[in-house]
């Protein structure tokens, strides 16, 4: 059956890196029996320039009708002074909420070939393989009321609301336990239950859901300790699950353990395994258009798409193996280059992955 992929390159390096991921998908179509139809759409600043909206109706329709969405990145200097309602990031947030992508899966895997690229000692990070499951459509980023109000003495007061329903916690907990079942069957739930009632409920619901997964060893950790442990001894973790804001912060921290932001993919899933797949980095306007961006995070996002949304595990493994192969050939884009490696550009790296797939 033909699968439909909405391809949304976005802005900055998004355009260059997504082009490499498309090469990979085209190769899988031509040589390995993937039957995927790709259609491109506009999102972010480039969409605003053409349509006055960072998320045009046509793009939303395309994304809703697709089995999966491949996204590059949005944003850039050019659009920074726009009103917040039409900034490029609104396109991304709009896609997440319109598609109800409540579960964000972010692996932090250290390729042994890149152990020296981490700022942590190699013995602390080598072999690192963590999956962070972050709740993506609830919590303090969406809770009402929110805003900035003026008090009687004319002083301003900012406020946001941390809010979770049991059903929201339950569904992300199920995703996390299912994920743990496919990993080493250890799940650490991160909260601040000693201070925040909302995450006291989080802990209670996660405990309850754990009864459905007796094989998974569940532990709980306060977020401040989790941040410390991620840097002190990150290999103690297998799968972590947490709220929207805690996950935002902890997943960036975990990403940096691996040394390069250009290597890490992510998936944002709805309840039916439909997902949006994107590298964790942004549009890197400082290097856009120079053919130096690392496309491997986006190519690894394709592997996640094959695994989670297209039901093609064997092809996912093939893509991951091809990435491993190019690293073994010492091919490196500038962000992961050290002396003695072979420096390649964005497009040449994409070609090398395709060549490795075919070999
Ligand atoms: P960034 O991730 O774009 O860049 C941070 C640093 O990492 C830069 O020095 C950049 O050159 C480098 N970098 C990022 N990706 C790389 C790659 N694939 N290869 C090599 N180097 C890479 O973050 P930023 O600079 O804070 O933000 C730039 C723009 O991206 C902003 O407009 C921001 O809002 C947007 N942004 C978008 C997303 C997204 O679309 N998901 C995420 C984060 C930031």
């Amino acid at each position: 059956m033909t699968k439909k992929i909405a391809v949304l390159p976005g802005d900055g390096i998004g355009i260059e890196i997504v082009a490499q991921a498309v090469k990979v998908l085209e190769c899988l179509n031509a040589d390995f029996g993937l039957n995927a139809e790709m259609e491109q759409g506009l999102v972010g600043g480039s969409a605003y320039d053409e349509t006055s909206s960072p998320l045009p109706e046509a793009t939303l329709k395309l994304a809703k009708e697709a089995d999966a969405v491949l996204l590059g990145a949005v944003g850039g200097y050019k659009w920074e002074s726009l009103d917040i309602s039409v900034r490029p990031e609104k396109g991304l947030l709009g896609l997440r909420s319109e598609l109800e992508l409540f579960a964000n899966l972010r692996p932090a895997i250290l390729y042994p070939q890149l152990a020296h690229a981490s700022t942590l000692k190699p013995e602390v990070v080598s072999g690192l393989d963590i999956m962070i499951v972050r709740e993506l459509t609830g919590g303090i980023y969406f809770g009402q009321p929110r805003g900035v109000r003026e008090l009687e003495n004319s002083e301003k007061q900012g406020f946001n609301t941390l809010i979770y329903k049991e059903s929201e916690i339950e569904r992300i907990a199920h995703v996390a336990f299912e994920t743990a079942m496919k990993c080493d069957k250890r799940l650490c739930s991160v909260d601040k239950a000693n201070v925040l009632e909302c995450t006291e409920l989080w802990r209670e619901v996660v405990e309850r859901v754990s009864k459905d997964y007796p094989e998974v060893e569940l532990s709980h950790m306060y977020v401040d300790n989790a941040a410390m442990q991620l840097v002190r001894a990150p290999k103690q973790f297998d799968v972590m699950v947490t709220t929207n804001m805690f996950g935002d912060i902890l997943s960036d921290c975990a990403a940096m353990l691996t040394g390069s932001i250009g290597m890490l993919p992510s998936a944002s899933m709805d309840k039916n395994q439909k997902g949006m797949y994107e590298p964790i980095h942004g549009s890197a306007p400082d290097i856009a258009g120079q053919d130096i961006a690392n496309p491997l995070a986006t190519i690894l996002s394709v592997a996640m798409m094959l695994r989670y949304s297209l039901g093609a595990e064997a092809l996912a493994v093939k893509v991951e193996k091809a990435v491993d192969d190019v690293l073994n050939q010492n091919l490196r884009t500038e962000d992961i280059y050290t002396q003695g490696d072979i420096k390649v550009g964005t497009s040449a790296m994409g070609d090398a992955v395709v060549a490795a797939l075919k070999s």
Side-chain angles (χ1 to χ4, degrees):
M1 207 174 74
T2 309
K3 299 282 187 183
K4 280 183 80 174
I5 304 174
V7 178
L8 312 178
D11 309 317
I13 62 167
I15 294 152
E16 303 155 65
I17 54 179
V18 166
Q20 310 316 311
V22 167
K23 282 181 192 167
V24 168
L25 283 162
E26 279 168 350
C27 169
L28 295 177
N29 267 343
D31 296 352
F32 298 101
L34 177 71
N35 195 356
E37 209 173 77
M38 286 173 266
E39 194 176 333
Q40 297 230 0
L42 291 168
V43 71
S46 51
Y48 174 81
D49 286 349
E50 285 220 9
T51 69
S52 304
S53 163
L55 181 54
E57 273 304 316
T59 301
L60 191 55
K61 184 166 179 284
L62 177 68
K64 282 187 169 168
E65 287 171 2
D67 296 293
V69 179
L70 176 66
L71 187 116
V74 299
Y77 313 131
K78 186 179 169 190
W79 303 285
E80 272 170 11
S81 56
L82 286 177
D83 184 77
I84 196 159
S85 62
V86 287
R87 286 220 194 117
E89 293 72 16
K90 275 280 167 196
L92 191 60
L93 293 178
L95 278 169
R96 284 177 185 165
S97 62
E98 287 284 337
L99 300 179
E100 294 181 60
L101 304 173
F102 69 91
N104 185 221
L105 271 60
R106 276 191 178 202
I109 296 170
L110 184 81
Y111 283 84
Q113 301 94 322
L114 303 179
H116 60 274
S118 174
T119 45
L120 272 76
K121 292 183 195 134
E123 63 268 28
V124 175
V125 288
S126 63
L128 185 76
D129 186 352
I130 304 176
M131 178 71 89
I132 298 191
V133 180
R134 165 188 169 196
E135 200 291 325
L136 202 59
T137 51
I140 197 164
Y141 290 176
F142 292 91
Q144 296 288 350
R146 61 190 294 157
V148 178
R149 61 190 160 209
E150 204 162 308
L151 301 174
E152 275 172 13
N153 66 358
S154 301
E155 189 186 359
K156 283 185 180 167
Q157 183 184 51
F159 57 101
N160 289 88
T161 305
L162 173 60
I163 188 162
Y164 272 114
K165 288 189 288 199
E166 285 181 293
S167 54
E168 289 172 306
I169 306 170
E170 259 166 34
R171 66 180 183 176
I172 191 74
H174 278 291
V175 172
F177 279 106
E178 297 287 348
T179 308
M181 287 296 288
K182 293 181 201 139
C183 299
D184 281 345
K185 300 197 171 83
R186 288 181 294 117
L187 176 65
C188 178
S189 172
V190 177
D191 60 42
K192 191 72 184 167
N194 51 341
V195 178
L196 301 170
E197 289 83 350
C198 182
T199 68
E200 209 179 332
L201 177 68
W202 176 279
R203 189 176 283 217
E204 186 186 311
V205 174
V206 172
E207 275 290 340
R208 195 160 73 214
V209 173
S210 75
K211 305 282 181 286
D212 293 346
Y213 303 88
E215 284 177 59
V216 177
E217 185 193 313
L218 173 66
S219 60
H220 301 277
M221 199 176 272
Y222 297 138
V223 64
D224 41 348
N225 187 24
M228 187 176 78
Q229 296 299 333
L230 264 179
V231 182
R232 193 187 73 82
K235 283 188 277 181
Q236 69 184 283
F237 297 110
D238 177 26
V239 179
M240 302 173 89
V241 61
T242 191
T243 63
N244 201 342
M245 184 164 73
F246 293 164
D248 192 4
I249 299 164
L250 292 180
S251 60
D252 266 25
C253 174
M256 277 325 291
L257 301 175
T258 70
S260 175
I261 199 167
M263 291 297 301
L264 295 175
S266 78
S268 304
M269 317 287 303
D270 76 359
K271 62 177 190 304
N272 301 315
Q273 293 295 107
K274 175 170 172 165
M276 184 159 82
Y277 298 85
E278 55 182 315
I280 68 151
H281 58 72
S283 58
D286 53 332
I287 59 167
Q290 298 174 36
D291 193 41
I292 56 174
N294 186 346
L296 294 180
T298 317
I299 291 171
L300 289 167
S301 300
V302 167
M304 289 188 89
M305 175 192 289
L306 291 162
R307 174 167 296 127
Y308 294 116
S309 287
L310 304 187
E313 172 67 25
L315 293 184
V317 172
K318 225 175 187 7
V319 171
E320 286 162 351
K321 163 94 175 41
V323 168
D324 200 43
D325 285 353
V326 298
L327 293 176
N328 283 336
Q329 292 163 34
N330 286 335
L331 301 176
R332 303 281 189 273
T333 42
E334 199 161 295
D335 55 311
I336 50 174
Y337 172 85
T338 46
Q339 217 177 0
D341 293 332
I342 305 161
K343 199 185 281 186
V344 292
T346 310
S347 185
M349 187 58 111
D351 292 341
V353 174
V354 170
L357 273 174
K358 290 182 171 179
S359 69

